[in-house]
Amino acid sequence: MRKRKSMHAIKVQAGSGNVYADIGVPDAAAMLIKAQLMTKIAELIRGQGLTQTQAGHLLGLPQPKVSALMRGNFRGVSERRLLDCLTRLGSDVQVVVTAAPRHRGSGKLSVVFA
């Protein structure tokens, strides 16, 4: 049996780099930062071979909260709390503030992992 080619064009739109903004989530910039921080936290937990219970003890969180975070449910958790989790997992965290370019007017927040 031969496959038929569709004659309908598929519309493709380039993303902005922030999936939360692309789908209209409120506080999209904060959600992206949290997702990036949580991705690193999950990587460190797995890399250290910790169970969720062990990670919870180390991070000062109950296991169900660790489970929720690992599944991407980080609403209600501050960026500061996630930064604390990174330090408890053995990472140094450095915040660097620089002047924004004049053409942009306002600053931006980003996460860079070294």
Side-chain angles (χ1 to χ4, degrees):
M1 197 174 218
R2 286 181 26 197
K3 290 185 178 181
R4 285 195 252 170
K5 290 186 178 181
S6 174
M7 295 296 168
H8 303 306
I10 297 173
K11 184 177 178 180
V12 177
Q13 182 176 351
S16 68
N18 182 340
V19 67
Y20 299 103
D22 293 344
I23 62 173
V25 172
D27 299 324
M31 292 298 289
L32 179 62
I33 295 295
K34 289 179 183 184
Q36 292 170 323
L37 294 172
M38 198 52 230
T39 297
K40 185 64 174 178
I41 291 166
E43 177 185 307
L44 292 169
I45 289 171
R46 288 188 196 104
Q48 294 177 24
L50 299 173
T51 66
Q52 289 182 0
T53 301
Q54 292 167 327
H57 287 297
L58 183 63
L59 302 176
L61 298 169
Q63 181 277 326
K65 187 65 172 180
V66 174
S67 177
L69 288 170
M70 299 282 283
R71 290 190 323 270
N73 185 2
F74 38 78
R75 281 209 182 267
V77 178
S78 70
E79 291 92 342
R80 171 64 192 183
R81 182 72 173 130
L82 296 176
L83 294 173
D84 287 340
C85 289
L86 286 168
T87 61
R88 289 177 181 223
L89 288 164
S91 294
D92 287 335
V93 175
Q94 182 180 33
V95 177
V96 179
V97 179
T98 61
R102 286 183 190 221
H103 72 274
R104 209 173 52 222
S106 65
K108 68 176 184 173
L109 183 61
S110 61
V111 175
V112 178
F113 296 102

